[in-house]
Amino acid sequence: MSHLRFMKELNNLTRMDDSIKGPPPRWQKKCLENSNSSINLSINTSKKVLSSSSIFGKSPIKKNDGRTKKTPSKGSRKSPSKILSRRTPAKTPNGGDRFIPSRATTNFDISHHKILQQQNADPDKDKFDDISPTKREMQRLIGENLHGGDIDNMRVLSYRVKAPAAPDGYQNPLKVLYSQTKTPASVKASTRYIPQAPDRILDAPEIIDDYYLNLVDWSNSNILAVALGANVYLWNAETGSIQQLFELDSNDYVCSVSWIQEGPHLAIGTTLGNTELWDCSEMKRVRVMNGHTARVGSLSWNSHVLSSGCRLGKIVHHDVRQRNHLISTLNAHSQEICGLKWSNDGKYLASGGNDNMLLIWASIAGQNHTQTQPVYTINQHNAAVKALAWCPWQNNVLASGGGTADRTIRFWNCNTGACLNNIDTRSQVCSLLWSTNYKEIISGHGYAQNQLTIWKYPAMTKVAELTGHTSRVLHLAMSPDGTTVLSAGADETLRLWKCFQMDQQKKKDYSEIKSVASRLKQSIR
């Protein structure tokens, strides 16, 4: 009999027509748990009612030394309802954490029409190529009648509940991570690497520590002229070779140097009041031009006209092509002229003096020299005005810097005489240079920091500070390609800073624009 019972159980287990036995589905578990929770809740409620009426004659409150204490029941545990409430997450506002489209607000006619319209507009759908214009016009009219207007702005799906807004003061915890790892494109484009150390340092022994002189200039043929006492040296930036141009007598020294705009000629001002012209390709002096009775501390070229300023405050215009070189003499300043610059278009001449005055002179129409009276007389600087620089992309904008008692850089519109901007540099301004590769300006300073500062124009925010000189930076000069700045300090050193280097793409674009401009000039000529 036992083996028959075993065979019967085996047949029952291997039957395929019976329902498959296994764990109950999830929905059955949920129903079972909900029913158990409601039953347990009703049982607990009935127990509380029974215990409060003391049906069994037992009181839940027990007196002990005049104090009441609740007696815990043996084997007490948490009710199933509390356990389920812990597992079940709290209900999210607005009915859930998903946003499901509401079919009640969906216009299926417009949806169908827009799908057909998109298919008809697709050129790759060959089967719709044979639609006649009349049928397409009828479809357009149907679309207008469905909505009564333009259906391009209609939404096919609409949501029953919008996404809840974040509470006031809420901050995303990943905000710091994103802000630290991702840099905006505007910031990346505006930043570049500026070396904080000079590319090369040259010795400049016996350079005169005098704020009112101009002893350094860089030619378009990449030759640097430096006046060291009674000597003038030429340094070839391409080959690195150094040549001594000449040496003056022991009682004389060089006060200023200035290269002609195009050509190998160098103008030199001396303490005797003479202005000499040297041909550096032949290493010989061409001529000596008089006109001053005091030292010539500033020079500036305008084509073939050389303007010179002396210690007595006079400006003399020389035409180097003529035998009688003296064109005109201007009584400009009451003290020494230490700054003199022609604008890039030759329309204005700016002069700064030790009398704290800045004068703007206008050129005579068709001439390369100025009128006898200045068009603007500016007295807003509180110290000597030596640093002068004309903007390369705005010919009428002039930058001027004051000495120790002033320490400010000011920008002027010479067409109107208005001051565009000014900034306190907190240091003596000795020289200024505009960058031709960037919209920036660099300033050389004296007391008390002896640094070079690169400013972003026109915001005048600091881009970088270049330090290294142990004494004031007297002179600045720019290389012909506009990438390197030379600073001459009273510490008898010349330092080369590669602070305006262009990236390769910008350099390529700039060279292409320059070549196109040169071809246009040749075609016009």
Side-chain angles (χ1 to χ4, degrees):
M1 296 296 293
S2 61
H3 69 281
L4 294 175
R5 191 181 298 110
F6 174 75
M7 292 296 296
K8 185 178 180 180
E9 292 179 357
L10 183 63
N11 291 331
N12 291 333
L13 292 173
T14 57
R15 288 179 62 183
M16 300 299 292
D17 56 349
D18 198 3
S19 60
I20 300 174
K21 296 181 179 180
R26 187 171 179 272
W27 63 272
Q28 289 183 357
K29 286 184 179 181
K30 285 286 184 181
C31 293
L32 182 61
E33 288 175 354
N34 292 333
S35 61
N36 290 338
S37 62
S38 60
I39 293 171
N40 291 331
L41 182 61
S42 61
I43 292 173
N44 292 333
T45 306
S46 62
K47 282 184 179 181
K48 288 181 181 179
V49 174
L50 291 174
S51 61
S52 62
S53 59
S54 301
I55 296 175
F56 296 101
K58 294 182 181 180
S59 176
I61 307 298
K62 184 178 180 180
K63 293 182 179 180
N64 185 8
D65 298 332
R67 292 177 291 178
T68 59
K69 184 185 292 186
K70 185 176 180 180
T71 57
S73 59
K74 294 182 180 180
S76 63
R77 60 180 179 180
K78 297 178 180 178
S79 63
S81 62
K82 290 184 178 180
I83 296 174
L84 289 175
S85 65
R86 280 190 179 183
R87 292 182 181 177
T88 306
K91 287 187 177 181
T92 57
N94 300 327
D97 58 347
R98 293 184 298 170
F99 302 97
I100 303 172
S102 175
R103 293 179 180 271
T105 59
T106 303
N107 194 328
F108 292 100
D109 294 335
I110 293 179
S111 305
H112 179 68
H113 177 72
K114 292 187 74 173
I115 291 172
L116 291 179
Q117 189 179 24
Q118 183 178 5
Q119 289 178 349
N120 294 337
D122 190 354
D124 295 334
K125 302 291 183 179
D126 297 335
K127 61 182 180 180
F128 294 100
D129 290 343
D130 56 348
I131 297 177
S132 62
T134 306
K135 189 173 182 181
R136 292 189 180 183
E137 181 66 19
M138 184 175 62
Q139 289 180 356
R140 186 184 65 81
L141 295 175
I142 292 172
E144 292 180 356
N145 293 327
L146 286 173
H147 186 251
D150 187 15
I151 66 170
D152 292 336
N153 296 324
M154 282 288 296
R155 291 186 176 181
V156 177
L157 299 178
S158 62
Y159 293 96
R160 184 178 302 170
V161 181
K162 291 184 178 181
D168 295 336
Y170 174 77
Q171 289 186 354
N172 190 346
L174 298 178
K175 183 178 180 181
V176 177
L177 177 63
Y178 289 140
S179 62
Q180 293 296 327
T181 56
K182 292 185 178 181
T183 306
S186 60
V187 176
K188 290 181 180 178
S190 62
T191 57
R192 73 178 192 275
Y193 172 69
I194 299 177
Q196 296 297 308
D199 181 67
R200 185 177 296 183
I201 300 176
L202 305 175
D203 291 328
E206 299 181 5
I207 189 170
I208 300 174
D209 184 8
D210 194 331
Y211 178 81
Y212 304 101
L213 305 183
N214 296 273
L215 305 177
V216 171
D217 197 19
W218 207 328
S219 72
N220 291 329
S221 57
N222 209 10
I223 297 177
L224 179 71
V226 183
L228 303 178
N231 301 276
V232 173
Y233 292 92
L234 304 178
W235 178 69
N236 193 322
E238 293 182 358
T239 62
S241 61
I242 300 174
Q243 290 180 306
Q244 182 180 5
L245 183 61
F246 67 88
E247 182 179 2
L248 296 175
D249 298 334
S250 59
N251 296 329
D252 199 0
Y253 59 88
V254 179
C255 300
S256 57
V257 294
S258 180
W259 286 99
I260 194 171
Q261 295 168 354
E262 296 292 338
H265 294 89
L266 177 67
I268 295 167
T270 66
T271 56
L272 301 178
N274 295 327
T275 303
E276 300 182 359
L277 189 63
W278 286 75
D279 186 354
C280 295
S281 61
E282 302 291 337
M283 302 296 287
K284 66 178 182 179
R285 186 171 62 185
V286 178
R287 66 185 305 180
V288 178
M289 297 175 291
N290 54 17
H292 295 288
T293 58
R295 70 177 186 179
V296 180
S298 55
L299 297 168
S300 183
W301 286 89
N302 185 18
S303 184
H304 56 273
V305 172
L306 175 64
S307 301
S308 59
C310 73
R311 195 167 194 170
L312 297 179
K314 293 184 178 181
I315 297 176
V316 175
H317 297 304
H318 309 270
D319 190 343
V320 298
R321 302 174 303 173
Q322 299 179 8
R323 180 179 182 87
N324 297 324
H325 58 86
L326 189 61
I327 300 176
S328 65
T329 302
L330 309 177
N331 293 320
H333 295 264
S334 60
Q335 296 187 36
E336 183 172 9
I337 297 175
C338 49
L340 197 65
K341 290 288 182 181
W342 276 98
S343 61
N344 299 321
D345 57 355
K347 187 177 180 180
Y348 295 107
L349 174 67
S351 63
N354 194 30
D355 55 357
N356 307 344
M357 301 296 292
L358 172 63
L359 304 181
I360 308 297
W361 308 80
S363 62
I364 301 174
Q367 304 292 330
N368 292 319
H369 60 279
T370 65
Q371 300 174 357
T372 57
Q373 295 296 325
V375 290
Y376 300 111
T377 302
I378 301 169
N379 58 357
Q380 295 189 21
H381 285 286
N382 299 319
V385 183
K386 177 195 176 183
L388 298 173
W390 292 92
C391 181
W393 61 86
Q394 283 182 297
N395 294 325
N396 62 310
V397 175
L398 172 70
S400 62
T404 307
D406 185 70
R407 305 179 302 179
T408 61
I409 300 175
R410 297 180 182 272
F411 298 90
W412 310 93
N413 184 349
C414 293
N415 290 338
T416 61
C419 182
L420 303 176
N421 195 3
N422 67 87
I423 185 170
D424 185 3
T425 63
R426 302 183 182 275
S427 186
Q428 179 191 32
V429 183
C430 299
S431 51
L432 290 170
L433 280 179
W434 289 90
S435 171
T436 55
N437 298 335
Y438 300 92
K439 287 195 174 181
E440 296 172 354
I441 187 170
I442 185 170
S443 55
H445 298 276
Y447 307 115
Q449 300 180 26
N450 304 322
Q451 87 283 11
L452 285 79
T453 305
I454 302 176
W455 308 85
K456 191 73 176 178
Y457 182 82
M460 291 309 290
T461 55
K462 283 187 181 180
V463 178
E465 282 192 353
L466 309 177
T467 58
H469 283 285
T470 57
S471 187
R472 58 181 178 175
V473 182
L474 294 170
H475 317 287
L476 292 179
M478 182 76 73
S479 62
D481 58 359
T483 61
T484 307
V485 173
L486 179 132
S487 60
D491 55 359
E492 298 186 344
T493 61
L494 305 177
R495 298 171 186 261
L496 295 164
W497 311 84
K498 291 186 176 296
C499 52
F500 294 123
Q501 286 185 311
M502 298 178 64
D503 57 355
Q504 296 300 323
Q505 184 62 34
K506 287 185 178 180
K507 189 175 182 180
K508 183 179 179 181
D509 297 341
Y510 177 75
S511 61
E512 290 177 356
I513 293 172
K514 197 172 181 180
S515 63
V516 170
S518 63
R519 288 198 297 269
L520 287 174
K521 285 183 180 179
Q522 291 177 359
S523 62
I524 292 172
R525 290 176 184 176

